[in-house]
Each structure stands twice: as C-alpha cells, then as structure tokens.
Amino acid sequence: MRLKNNWLKLLLTLIVVLLISACSSDDKKDASSKGKSVADLPQDIVVRINDDPDFLDPHKATASISYQMILNIFEGLMAPETDGTLKEGLAESYAISEDGLTYTFTIRPGVKFHNGEDLTVEDIQYSFDRLMGKNGGEKMSNSFDNVASTEAPDANTFVIKLKEPNSNFLYSLTARQSAILPKSNDGKHNENPIGTGPFAYVKYSPGTNLELKKNENYWKEGLPYLNKVTFTFQSDDQAAIMSLMANEVDLTSVPWQRVSEVGDNYNLSHQNNNSSLIVTFNETKAPFDNVKVRQAINYAISKSDIIDSVFAGYAVPLGSNMSPAMGDYQKKGLEDMYKRDVEKAKALLAEAGYPDGFKTKITVSSHNDMYSNIAQIVAANLKEIGIDVEIEVVEWGIWLDRVYFGRDYQMTTIDLTGRASAYEVLNDYISTNDSENFFRFKNDEYDKIMADVLKERDQAKQIEYYHRAQEILAEQAAADYIADYQIIWGSNKQITGLKSYPFWFHDMSEVKFSN
C-alpha cells in the first residue's frame, strides 16, 4: 500500500512537471511570436516599409524609401541632427579657411567598417573619387562639381578645396549624399553593402525584407541597443495595420483615417514630414509647356479636398516647394496664390488655346495608396474644366524607371522628400540638375538665384534668395504644391528611442525595447 501511494505521488509529480513544462513552452512560443521573451526582452525589431529600396549602394540610391533604411548602414564625414543642423560624423573635427574654399577634416580614430577593416583616408579619397566619376567611373553626383581638389596630407587628415565658396557644402557631406565606403569593396557596394554605421547588412530578399544586424564594433560606445533590424516591405496600408495589431511588425506608419483604432494599445507619434506633396507635369510635353495651362490646373485642383479626404486633416497646405518645418526659409502666403476658382481655370485654358480642354494621363506609383487616392480627386477636379484624365497605376520600380529617370510621363503625383538644407530642398528645379529635375523645369532667374545663394554667407540674405526662388516656382506653376502631411507612426509600447529628422530616416541607433 505504501509503494502504491509513493508510485501515485511520483506519477502525479511527473504529470505536474509535464504540464508546467508544456505551459512554459507555450508561453515561450507565444512570447517569441510577438517579439518578446520570458527571460528578457529581445532587442529585435521589425519595421514596416512601403516598398523595396531602389539601390543598396548609397551612391546610386535616389528614393527616400531607400534612405529610410540604408542610412543605418552608412555614415559620412558629417552627420545630421534632428533639428536640421549638422554635427561631426566620421570627421572628428573640421576647419574652414577664411576665403571659404578649403575644408580640412580630422578623421575620427578607431572607426572600423563592418568587414573589420579600419577606416582610412584612402577609403575617404576613394569614396569622393567614385562620386565625382574619377578613375574612369561614371559621375554619381552633381554635388561635387565645385570641388577643385581632394587630398590626404597625412593618415588622419582629409582636405577638400572648392573652386568657389559654397554656403551649403557641409550638407553635401552626410551619408545621404556622400557615404564613406571601403575601397576594398569596390564593385560590390550594391550586392554586399559595407559601411561604418550602427548596423551591418545581412540579407536583402526582394519583395520581402532587408535584414540588418548590430555593429558590434560601432565607434559610439554603448550603441546600438538592438541586435537585429528587419525592414519588411508591405505596400498596403490596411494590411500593415493588421500586421501591427497581430504583433508581426513593431513599427509602421498608420493611415490617417485609422489613427483612433490603434491609439490605445500602441504608441502614436506625429512626425512633421518636411516634404512637398505635389501634382506635377513634364514641362517639355505639350500642353504642359504652357504656363497658363499649369496655372489653370493649379486653380482647378482643390487642396482642401485632398487634405481632408486623403490625410484626414493631418496636413498643411503649401504654395511652393518648401514646408513650414523649414522655419524662416519658407516663404509664407504662397499657399493662397491659387485659391480654387473653376471659372478662372477655364479662362486660362481658353487663353492657352484649349477652350474645350484636352486629354492627358497621370501616372502614379502603387507603393502607397495615397497616390491613387490623390489622382482620383485630381481627375474629378480637372474634369470640371474639361480636362479628361486617365489614371495609370504602376509598380514603384516602373514609376522610378519611366517617370523619375526616363521622364516618360505627362502628369504624376509624388511627395518630394524633406531635406535638412533649404538649398537641397529647392535645387531639384535647377535646369542643369539633370539627375533630379524630372519636371524639366527651366527658368533663367531661378538658376541665377540658386547659383548666387551659394556664394552668400549672410543668412538673412540667403533667406531672401530662397524666398524669391519659391515665388518663381509658384508664379510659373512648376507644380501644384498640395501639402506637407504629417506621418503618424504606430509602435509597440515597449519601444523607446525613436527620433524624427527633417527627412525620411528610421534611425535605429538609439532604439530599444524597455519594460
């Protein structure tokens, strides 16, 4: 009898142990599926991005989507701050000569690339030579046409000499425009990108995700906190919200109309986008080569309809290619230049030789639903003045190839990504800026202003130049400047350290999960 009782006790004990073990296993499985752990919070994050990068090579990338991700991999001599100013990056310090022509950089010691190699002045020289198209390669940037020479007088110093003073030059030295790459990786920067940033490249799966891992040798002590960052590609905003609610992603933009649905269970942060959402034209193709046609379209399109319908009011109207986020650099009042006036729009079309309107096509990318939604409003507005608009929706890659690079389009809508420099916000419209002026805008006064402002050191006078440049864009109706919209980010409540910049960049360097 005693043996039997002992046996029963043993059996009961085993059953309890098995039950506890099973529950523990289920808890771990459940926690793992949500990106959590029983013992500790793992520092792995999944960030939803609308679409694939156009390039992983930072010298070739042009899409703001790409920079959201890859700026975690690369660094420049200078680094951006969240308020739009600059600080030293891979340069520990710098000095500018009195004549504004010579920039001398002292290189930060002890920095390593992700492949374990030390950062050297040879790598810096190689990176600028590559950007400028020296050594037989193609020129990858117009930002350094004013560079007279570059040299490394010793192992810790890099010197750039300019042909003419340039008040904006330091802004050309962040990773967004001049990432420093290892010379040893030449020819493989897109397939196997290597930088010095807080995260290293692991794998890119087209149409699926981009995986990064912690840079264990990062020069900023104690950073980053995260062990792994996965940027997952999902173009559908509604599906992205479902992924957030199912804990499949930890951070995503939230459609403006669905903010109330996620507010209680997730952190919401509002980011001033500092971009210009535009409806624009290929100005080399008739009838958009006629300023009166462009002005008529400006009068016909209802900014308020777009702001209310597409952005649920989370936007401010614009009148030119500059956001209020740029402070004094923005010319106020231009947003009222083209108050909706259907009769005036019809009159301008008649003056331009199109009293009965015309047929055209607006080509938009599918990587964000808002472009199709905007196109529908535009088509309805323009129908009122006799313009018949066909809406063509294409994949993001096709939009880049045909519209942005190929300039094979009539109308389009896109948001021009924010930048920390007023000059860089406006230089898209310089007639000689072939790589970015996809509208084919050309105006002699505008070109002169944008050349003169670079020679001007006085900030107040620079602002005057930038104000006049914005007036020209509005007067010439280079585009219909709709709005700067806010981005609403929804994130796991345990995430801290998210930072907002005046351009699109998911800076993961200080992000972590906290209790």
Side-chain angles (χ1 to χ4, degrees), residues 44 83 102 149 182 195 225 272 313 345 452 493:
D44 297 353
D83 64 358
T102 303
S149 66
Y225 301 112
N272 291 320
D452 290 346
K493 280 199 168 184

Side-chain angles (χ1 to χ4, degrees), residues 168-203:
N168 189 68
F169 184 65
L170 284 177
Y171 281 96
S172 302
L173 303 180
T174 68
R176 196 183 185 284
Q177 289 190 288
S178 54
I180 303 303
L181 308 177
K183 184 177 181 180
S184 63
N185 198 44
D186 187 50
K188 297 176 284 187
H189 297 304
N190 198 56
E191 292 73 26
N192 182 38
I194 296 173
T196 60
F199 293 93
Y201 171 77
V202 176
K203 184 175 66 173

Side-chain angles (χ1 to χ4, degrees), residues 307-320:
I307 290 172
D308 293 341
S309 176
V310 178
F311 304 113
Y314 289 102
V316 293
L318 296 181
S320 191

Side-chain angles (χ1 to χ4, degrees), residues 201-214:
Y201 171 77
V202 176
K203 184 175 66 173
Y204 169 49
S205 302
T208 303
N209 59 36
L210 171 65
E211 295 181 25
L212 309 181
K213 67 179 180 180
K214 180 178 184 175

